[in-house]
Amino acid sequence: MPKVNFRLDGSLHSTLMRRARGANLSLSGFIRQTLEQAVDERKRYVFSSQDEILATAIQILSILATSVGQQSPKALEQGMAQARSILLERGLLGEVDRS
């Protein structure tokens, strides 16, 4: 199998690592699948089904957060702080979201 080497800037590398972890793949596996998808016009985006699941989960959690916030603003505040901590830990917040 041929081997390809190339350089990435730090920001792109971090983003690719975060996306690979989110897809439960190694960086090489993630890049390989992304490249395969890029050269085959008939394929859907490799992780589109995960994006659809994520969109549904976000909608459900938004409804839940609204309900919890109406009943107990303190509980909502604590839950949001815990969620932010978990997202930071997994590298799922962008630079703007970290503040």
Side-chain angles (χ1 to χ4, degrees), residues 21 83-93 98:
R21 277 194 304 269
R84 178 172 292 281
S85 175
I86 292 167
L87 292 170
L88 279 169
E89 206 172 88
R90 294 199 64 196
L92 296 173
L93 288 181
R98 293 175 187 264

Side-chain angles (χ1 to χ4, degrees), residues 1-6:
M1 179 181 294
K3 185 176 181 177
V4 177
N5 292 309
F6 52 93

Side-chain angles (χ1 to χ4, degrees), residues 38-92:
V39 298
D40 186 349
E41 295 175 6
R42 296 171 296 155
K43 286 187 178 181
R44 289 179 57 185
Y45 174 60
V46 177
F47 305 107
S48 62
S49 63
Q50 290 178 357
D51 290 343
E52 292 163 4
I53 292 168
L54 178 60
T56 302
I58 289 169
Q59 291 173 10
I60 291 168
L61 292 173
S62 178
I63 293 166
L64 179 62
T66 300
S67 177
V68 169
Q70 289 173 348
Q71 295 176 28
S72 175
K74 181 82 171 161
L76 177 62
E77 184 181 327
Q78 289 174 342
M80 293 300 287
Q82 289 174 347
R84 178 172 292 281
S85 175
I86 292 167
L87 292 170
L88 279 169
E89 206 172 88
R90 294 199 64 196
L92 296 173

